[in-house]
Amino acid sequence: MIANLSKLLTVQLSPLFALVSTFLVLFTFLAPVPVFNQSIALVSIVPSSGIFNQNSIRSIYVEPSEENNDLFKRRLPRAAAAAIVARASDDGLKMRFGLLGSCFKHGSEKSQCTTSSLDNPTYDLSPLPATASSRFPSSPSTFSPNSMLACVILTTIFMILISLPSMPKLPAAVGATLEKPIISRLIAWIGVVSWLDGMITTVVLRINFGVAVQRFNEDAANARVALTAEVSNGFTMLWIAFALLVPALICSMFKLHLEAKKA
């Protein structure tokens, strides 16, 4: 029973986890430019819905205008307040930022994206008021796209190498090569370097974007701009990806430990 569970984890589940991890990192790297421009991003800017209580809309932020000045003077039912918030969220500006560029759209219009670039990615901040975007970065940090690309490549290589032993009808020569200590050591090092590269890049990005989000929200509140920035689902996907890669790394390093004891 224990032997079967061990085989399931080392030969079948860990390569599967590594495969899922590789796709999650790849999808996050490519979003929102050139793909997934409406679903995945590292940072999003969306209409600010505000916080309202059950009987009043006073706490909902609505930019003053001739049409809505009266909203601050009269009470509305909760359902009416929720409808106003939902309508503003659907029709307002939405922006998404990633490693290779940014996208924005107004309401149901088609998304407009910057050209994806690895060497010099830039963000299009033109839809934002200057008073709110003055401290928002115009591009990701210079090393981040290249570092994450290296992580994608190394993770893919690591995933392929640890998946080969579980493939049916694997040629004997290939199997014998994979069993050599130097190859096992190389596979383990590729996995460790890819994990460290990805984690360090993600932590640096999370810190930088976290500061940018905080500054943008402060500037937007001071300028009474009905937009809010938030750290988006791209970081969640990266944390999950690197967590799923850990079992494969442990199996690779444990294999090195057993080979060292045999020697």
Side-chain angles (χ1 to χ4, degrees), residues 6-51:
S6 176
K7 182 179 179 181
L8 177 66
L9 177 62
T10 58
V11 179
Q12 297 176 346
L13 285 185
S14 59
L16 178 61
F17 289 161
L19 176 64
V20 176
S21 174
T22 302
F23 277 110
L24 288 176
V25 176
L26 178 62
F27 291 161
T28 306
F29 175 73
L30 296 176
V33 178
V35 295
F36 305 114
N37 52 62
Q38 296 188 31
S39 55
I40 302 174
L42 296 179
V43 172
S44 299
I45 294 179
V46 296
S48 175
S49 59
I51 301 174

Short mmCIF file of all heavy atoms in Angstrom, two decimals, residues 6-51:
data_model
loop_
_atom_site.label_atom_id
_atom_site.label_comp_id
_atom_site.label_asym_id
_atom_site.label_seq_id
_atom_site.Cartn_x
_atom_site.Cartn_y
_atom_site.Cartn_z
N SER A 6 3.61 5.75 -2.73
CA SER A 6 4.87 6.41 -3.06
C SER A 6 5.06 6.52 -4.57
O SER A 6 5.48 7.55 -5.08
CB SER A 6 6.03 5.63 -2.43
OG SER A 6 7.27 6.18 -2.81
N LYS A 7 4.73 5.44 -5.27
CA LYS A 7 4.85 5.46 -6.73
C LYS A 7 3.87 6.45 -7.34
O LYS A 7 4.20 7.16 -8.31
CB LYS A 7 4.60 4.06 -7.29
CG LYS A 7 4.73 3.97 -8.80
CD LYS A 7 4.48 2.56 -9.29
CE LYS A 7 4.60 2.49 -10.81
NZ LYS A 7 4.35 1.12 -11.32
N LEU A 8 2.65 6.52 -6.79
CA LEU A 8 1.65 7.45 -7.30
C LEU A 8 2.13 8.88 -7.17
O LEU A 8 1.97 9.70 -8.09
CB LEU A 8 0.33 7.25 -6.55
CG LEU A 8 -0.81 8.20 -6.92
CD1 LEU A 8 -1.26 7.96 -8.35
CD2 LEU A 8 -1.97 8.04 -5.95
N LEU A 9 2.74 9.21 -6.04
CA LEU A 9 3.19 10.59 -5.79
C LEU A 9 4.40 10.94 -6.65
O LEU A 9 4.44 11.99 -7.29
CB LEU A 9 3.52 10.78 -4.32
CG LEU A 9 4.08 12.15 -3.92
CD1 LEU A 9 3.07 13.24 -4.23
CD2 LEU A 9 4.48 12.17 -2.46
N THR A 10 5.38 10.06 -6.68
CA THR A 10 6.65 10.40 -7.34
C THR A 10 6.59 10.26 -8.85
O THR A 10 7.22 11.03 -9.58
CB THR A 10 7.78 9.51 -6.79
OG1 THR A 10 7.43 8.13 -7.00
CG2 THR A 10 7.97 9.74 -5.30
N VAL A 11 5.85 9.28 -9.35
CA VAL A 11 5.87 8.99 -10.78
C VAL A 11 4.71 9.63 -11.52
O VAL A 11 4.85 10.01 -12.69
CB VAL A 11 5.88 7.46 -11.02
CG1 VAL A 11 5.87 7.14 -12.50
CG2 VAL A 11 7.09 6.82 -10.34
N GLN A 12 3.58 9.82 -10.86
CA GLN A 12 2.39 10.29 -11.57
C GLN A 12 1.92 11.66 -11.11
O GLN A 12 1.71 12.56 -11.93
CB GLN A 12 1.26 9.26 -11.42
CG GLN A 12 1.61 7.91 -12.05
CD GLN A 12 0.54 6.86 -11.82
OE1 GLN A 12 -0.34 7.05 -10.99
NE2 GLN A 12 0.62 5.76 -12.54
N LEU A 13 1.74 11.85 -9.79
CA LEU A 13 1.17 13.11 -9.32
C LEU A 13 2.13 14.28 -9.42
O LEU A 13 1.74 15.38 -9.82
CB LEU A 13 0.70 12.95 -7.87
CG LEU A 13 -0.59 12.15 -7.67
CD1 LEU A 13 -1.00 12.17 -6.21
CD2 LEU A 13 -1.72 12.73 -8.53
N SER A 14 3.38 14.08 -9.06
CA SER A 14 4.32 15.21 -9.11
C SER A 14 4.52 15.74 -10.52
O SER A 14 4.55 16.97 -10.72
CB SER A 14 5.66 14.83 -8.47
OG SER A 14 6.25 13.73 -9.13
N PRO A 15 4.64 14.89 -11.57
CA PRO A 15 4.68 15.45 -12.93
C PRO A 15 3.39 16.18 -13.31
O PRO A 15 3.43 17.19 -14.03
CB PRO A 15 4.91 14.22 -13.82
CG PRO A 15 5.56 13.23 -12.94
CD PRO A 15 4.93 13.45 -11.59
N LEU A 16 2.24 15.67 -12.83
CA LEU A 16 0.97 16.33 -13.12
C LEU A 16 0.92 17.70 -12.46
O LEU A 16 0.51 18.69 -13.10
CB LEU A 16 -0.19 15.47 -12.63
CG LEU A 16 -1.59 16.06 -12.83
CD1 LEU A 16 -1.88 16.29 -14.31
CD2 LEU A 16 -2.65 15.14 -12.22
N PHE A 17 1.36 17.78 -11.20
CA PHE A 17 1.41 19.07 -10.52
C PHE A 17 2.35 20.03 -11.24
O PHE A 17 2.06 21.23 -11.37
CB PHE A 17 1.86 18.89 -9.06
CG PHE A 17 0.84 18.23 -8.19
CD1 PHE A 17 1.21 17.64 -6.98
CD2 PHE A 17 -0.48 18.18 -8.56
CE1 PHE A 17 0.28 17.03 -6.17
CE2 PHE A 17 -1.44 17.57 -7.76
CZ PHE A 17 -1.05 17.00 -6.56
N ALA A 18 3.49 19.51 -11.69
CA ALA A 18 4.45 20.35 -12.41
C ALA A 18 3.86 20.85 -13.73
O ALA A 18 4.11 21.99 -14.15
CB ALA A 18 5.74 19.58 -12.67
N LEU A 19 3.06 20.02 -14.39
CA LEU A 19 2.41 20.43 -15.65
C LEU A 19 1.43 21.56 -15.39
O LEU A 19 1.43 22.58 -16.12
CB LEU A 19 1.69 19.24 -16.27
CG LEU A 19 0.87 19.52 -17.54
CD1 LEU A 19 1.78 19.97 -18.67
CD2 LEU A 19 0.08 18.28 -17.94
N VAL A 20 0.60 21.42 -14.36
CA VAL A 20 -0.35 22.48 -14.02
C VAL A 20 0.39 23.76 -13.65
O VAL A 20 0.01 24.87 -14.05
CB VAL A 20 -1.27 22.03 -12.88
CG1 VAL A 20 -2.19 23.16 -12.45
CG2 VAL A 20 -2.10 20.82 -13.30
N SER A 21 1.47 23.62 -12.88
CA SER A 21 2.27 24.77 -12.49
C SER A 21 2.83 25.50 -13.70
O SER A 21 2.80 26.74 -13.78
CB SER A 21 3.41 24.32 -11.57
OG SER A 21 4.29 25.38 -11.29
N THR A 22 3.32 24.74 -14.68
CA THR A 22 3.89 25.34 -15.88
C THR A 22 2.85 26.15 -16.64
O THR A 22 3.12 27.28 -17.08
CB THR A 22 4.46 24.25 -16.81
OG1 THR A 22 5.45 23.50 -16.09
CG2 THR A 22 5.08 24.85 -18.05
N PHE A 23 1.64 25.61 -16.79
CA PHE A 23 0.59 26.32 -17.51
C PHE A 23 0.15 27.58 -16.76
O PHE A 23 -0.12 28.62 -17.37
CB PHE A 23 -0.59 25.41 -17.77
CG PHE A 23 -0.43 24.53 -18.98
CD1 PHE A 23 -0.26 23.17 -18.85
CD2 PHE A 23 -0.42 25.08 -20.25
CE1 PHE A 23 -0.09 22.36 -19.97
CE2 PHE A 23 -0.26 24.29 -21.38
CZ PHE A 23 -0.09 22.92 -21.23
N LEU A 24 0.07 27.51 -15.44
CA LEU A 24 -0.33 28.69 -14.66
C LEU A 24 0.68 29.82 -14.81
O LEU A 24 0.30 30.99 -14.99
CB LEU A 24 -0.50 28.31 -13.18
CG LEU A 24 -1.70 27.44 -12.83
CD1 LEU A 24 -1.67 27.07 -11.36
CD2 LEU A 24 -3.01 28.15 -13.17
N VAL A 25 1.97 29.49 -14.74
CA VAL A 25 3.00 30.51 -14.90
C VAL A 25 2.96 31.08 -16.32
O VAL A 25 3.07 32.29 -16.53
CB VAL A 25 4.39 29.93 -14.59
CG1 VAL A 25 5.47 30.98 -14.86
CG2 VAL A 25 4.47 29.47 -13.14
N LEU A 26 2.79 30.21 -17.31
CA LEU A 26 2.74 30.65 -18.71
C LEU A 26 1.55 31.57 -18.96
O LEU A 26 1.69 32.62 -19.61
CB LEU A 26 2.68 29.43 -19.63
CG LEU A 26 2.58 29.73 -21.14
CD1 LEU A 26 3.82 30.48 -21.62
CD2 LEU A 26 2.39 28.44 -21.92
N PHE A 27 0.37 31.19 -18.46
CA PHE A 27 -0.82 32.02 -18.67
C PHE A 27 -0.65 33.39 -18.02
O PHE A 27 -1.04 34.42 -18.60
CB PHE A 27 -2.06 31.33 -18.10
CG PHE A 27 -2.46 30.09 -18.87
CD1 PHE A 27 -3.29 29.14 -18.28
CD2 PHE A 27 -2.00 29.86 -20.15
CE1 PHE A 27 -3.67 28.00 -18.99
CE2 PHE A 27 -2.37 28.73 -20.86
CZ PHE A 27 -3.21 27.80 -20.28
N THR A 28 -0.09 33.42 -16.82
CA THR A 28 0.11 34.70 -16.14
C THR A 28 1.12 35.56 -16.88
O THR A 28 0.98 36.78 -16.96
CB THR A 28 0.58 34.47 -14.69
OG1 THR A 28 -0.34 33.59 -14.02
CG2 THR A 28 0.64 35.78 -13.92
N PHE A 29 2.15 34.92 -17.43
CA PHE A 29 3.17 35.65 -18.16
C PHE A 29 2.59 36.30 -19.42
O PHE A 29 2.96 37.43 -19.77
CB PHE A 29 4.31 34.70 -18.54
CG PHE A 29 5.38 35.31 -19.41
CD1 PHE A 29 6.28 36.22 -18.87
CD2 PHE A 29 5.48 34.99 -20.75
CE1 PHE A 29 7.26 36.80 -19.66
CE2 PHE A 29 6.46 35.55 -21.55
CZ PHE A 29 7.35 36.46 -21.00
N LEU A 30 1.67 35.64 -20.09
CA LEU A 30 1.12 36.13 -21.35
C LEU A 30 -0.09 37.04 -21.18
O LEU A 30 -0.58 37.60 -22.16
CB LEU A 30 0.73 34.95 -22.25
CG LEU A 30 1.87 34.04 -22.72
CD1 LEU A 30 1.32 32.86 -23.51
CD2 LEU A 30 2.88 34.82 -23.53
N ALA A 31 -0.60 37.17 -19.96
CA ALA A 31 -1.81 37.97 -19.73
C ALA A 31 -1.44 39.35 -19.17
O ALA A 31 -0.46 39.48 -18.43
CB ALA A 31 -2.73 37.24 -18.76
N PRO A 32 -2.24 40.37 -19.45
CA PRO A 32 -3.37 40.41 -20.38
C PRO A 32 -2.98 40.66 -21.83
O PRO A 32 -3.83 40.79 -22.69
CB PRO A 32 -4.20 41.57 -19.85
CG PRO A 32 -3.16 42.51 -19.32
CD PRO A 32 -2.06 41.65 -18.75
N VAL A 33 -1.68 40.79 -22.08
CA VAL A 33 -1.17 40.96 -23.44
C VAL A 33 -0.14 39.86 -23.68
O VAL A 33 0.79 39.70 -22.87
CB VAL A 33 -0.51 42.35 -23.61
CG1 VAL A 33 0.07 42.49 -25.01
CG2 VAL A 33 -1.48 43.47 -23.31
N PRO A 34 -0.31 39.08 -24.73
CA PRO A 34 -1.25 39.20 -25.86
C PRO A 34 -2.55 38.41 -25.71
O PRO A 34 -3.39 38.47 -26.60
CB PRO A 34 -0.42 38.64 -27.02
CG PRO A 34 0.45 37.61 -26.39
CD PRO A 34 0.76 38.12 -25.01
N VAL A 35 -2.72 37.63 -24.64
CA VAL A 35 -3.93 36.81 -24.51
C VAL A 35 -4.57 37.06 -23.14
O VAL A 35 -3.98 37.70 -22.27
CB VAL A 35 -3.63 35.30 -24.69
CG1 VAL A 35 -3.16 35.00 -26.09
CG2 VAL A 35 -2.58 34.84 -23.68
N PHE A 36 -5.78 36.54 -22.97
CA PHE A 36 -6.52 36.64 -21.70
C PHE A 36 -6.67 38.10 -21.25
O PHE A 36 -6.53 38.41 -20.06
CB PHE A 36 -5.84 35.83 -20.59
CG PHE A 36 -5.62 34.39 -20.93
CD1 PHE A 36 -4.35 33.88 -21.07
CD2 PHE A 36 -6.70 33.54 -21.13
CE1 PHE A 36 -4.14 32.54 -21.39
CE2 PHE A 36 -6.50 32.20 -21.45
CZ PHE A 36 -5.22 31.71 -21.59
N ASN A 37 -6.97 39.00 -22.19
CA ASN A 37 -7.01 40.42 -21.84
C ASN A 37 -8.25 40.82 -21.06
O ASN A 37 -8.37 41.98 -20.66
CB ASN A 37 -6.87 41.29 -23.10
CG ASN A 37 -7.86 40.92 -24.19
OD1 ASN A 37 -9.06 41.01 -23.98
ND2 ASN A 37 -7.36 40.49 -25.33
N GLN A 38 -9.18 39.89 -20.83
CA GLN A 38 -10.36 40.22 -20.03
C GLN A 38 -10.50 39.36 -18.78
O GLN A 38 -11.52 39.46 -18.09
CB GLN A 38 -11.62 40.08 -20.89
CG GLN A 38 -11.68 41.04 -22.07
CD GLN A 38 -13.01 41.01 -22.78
OE1 GLN A 38 -14.06 40.76 -22.17
NE2 GLN A 38 -13.01 41.24 -24.08
N SER A 39 -9.51 38.54 -18.48
CA SER A 39 -9.70 37.62 -17.37
C SER A 39 -8.53 37.55 -16.41
O SER A 39 -8.73 37.32 -15.20
CB SER A 39 -9.99 36.20 -17.90
OG SER A 39 -8.96 35.78 -18.79
N ILE A 40 -7.29 37.72 -16.87
CA ILE A 40 -6.12 37.53 -16.02
C ILE A 40 -5.28 38.80 -16.05
O ILE A 40 -5.06 39.39 -17.10
CB ILE A 40 -5.26 36.33 -16.47
CG1 ILE A 40 -6.10 35.05 -16.47
CG2 ILE A 40 -4.06 36.15 -15.55
CD1 ILE A 40 -5.36 33.84 -17.05
N ALA A 41 -4.78 39.22 -14.89
CA ALA A 41 -3.92 40.39 -14.80
C ALA A 41 -3.21 40.38 -13.46
O ALA A 41 -3.64 39.71 -12.51
CB ALA A 41 -4.72 41.68 -14.97
N LEU A 42 -2.12 41.11 -13.39
CA LEU A 42 -1.43 41.29 -12.11
C LEU A 42 -2.07 42.41 -11.30
O LEU A 42 -2.18 42.33 -10.08
CB LEU A 42 0.05 41.59 -12.35
CG LEU A 42 0.86 40.47 -13.01
CD1 LEU A 42 2.30 40.91 -13.22
CD2 LEU A 42 0.81 39.19 -12.17
N VAL A 43 -2.49 43.47 -11.99
CA VAL A 43 -3.15 44.61 -11.34
C VAL A 43 -4.33 45.03 -12.20
O VAL A 43 -4.25 45.01 -13.43
CB VAL A 43 -2.18 45.79 -11.15
CG1 VAL A 43 -2.92 47.03 -10.66
CG2 VAL A 43 -1.08 45.43 -10.18
N SER A 44 -5.44 45.37 -11.56
CA SER A 44 -6.62 45.85 -12.27
C SER A 44 -7.04 47.20 -11.71
O SER A 44 -6.89 47.46 -10.51
CB SER A 44 -7.78 44.85 -12.12
OG SER A 44 -7.44 43.60 -12.66
N ILE A 45 -7.56 48.04 -12.58
CA ILE A 45 -8.18 49.29 -12.17
C ILE A 45 -9.63 49.26 -12.65
O ILE A 45 -9.90 49.07 -13.84
CB ILE A 45 -7.45 50.50 -12.77
CG1 ILE A 45 -6.05 50.60 -12.19
CG2 ILE A 45 -8.23 51.79 -12.49
CD1 ILE A 45 -5.23 51.76 -12.74
N VAL A 46 -10.55 49.38 -11.72
CA VAL A 46 -11.97 49.23 -12.01
C VAL A 46 -12.74 50.40 -11.39
O VAL A 46 -12.20 51.11 -10.52
CB VAL A 46 -12.51 47.89 -11.46
CG1 VAL A 46 -11.85 46.72 -12.15
CG2 VAL A 46 -12.29 47.80 -9.95
N PRO A 47 -13.98 50.61 -11.81
CA PRO A 47 -14.79 51.66 -11.18
C PRO A 47 -14.94 51.41 -9.69
O PRO A 47 -15.12 50.27 -9.24
CB PRO A 47 -16.13 51.55 -11.91
CG PRO A 47 -15.81 50.94 -13.21
CD PRO A 47 -14.68 49.98 -12.94
N SER A 48 -14.87 52.46 -8.91
CA SER A 48 -15.00 52.35 -7.46
C SER A 48 -16.46 52.32 -7.09
O SER A 48 -17.22 53.23 -7.41
CB SER A 48 -14.30 53.54 -6.79
OG SER A 48 -14.51 53.50 -5.40
N SER A 49 -16.85 51.23 -6.41
CA SER A 49 -18.25 51.10 -6.01
C SER A 49 -18.51 51.74 -4.67
O SER A 49 -19.64 52.01 -4.29
CB SER A 49 -18.64 49.61 -5.96
OG SER A 49 -17.82 48.92 -5.04
N GLY A 50 -17.45 51.95 -3.88
CA GLY A 50 -17.65 52.52 -2.56
C GLY A 50 -18.28 51.53 -1.59
O GLY A 50 -18.51 50.37 -1.90
N ILE A 51 -18.56 51.97 -0.42
CA ILE A 51 -19.17 51.15 0.64
C ILE A 51 -20.43 51.86 1.10
O ILE A 51 -20.40 53.04 1.44
CB ILE A 51 -18.22 50.95 1.82
CG1 ILE A 51 -16.93 50.27 1.34
CG2 ILE A 51 -18.88 50.16 2.92
CD1 ILE A 51 -15.87 50.17 2.42
#
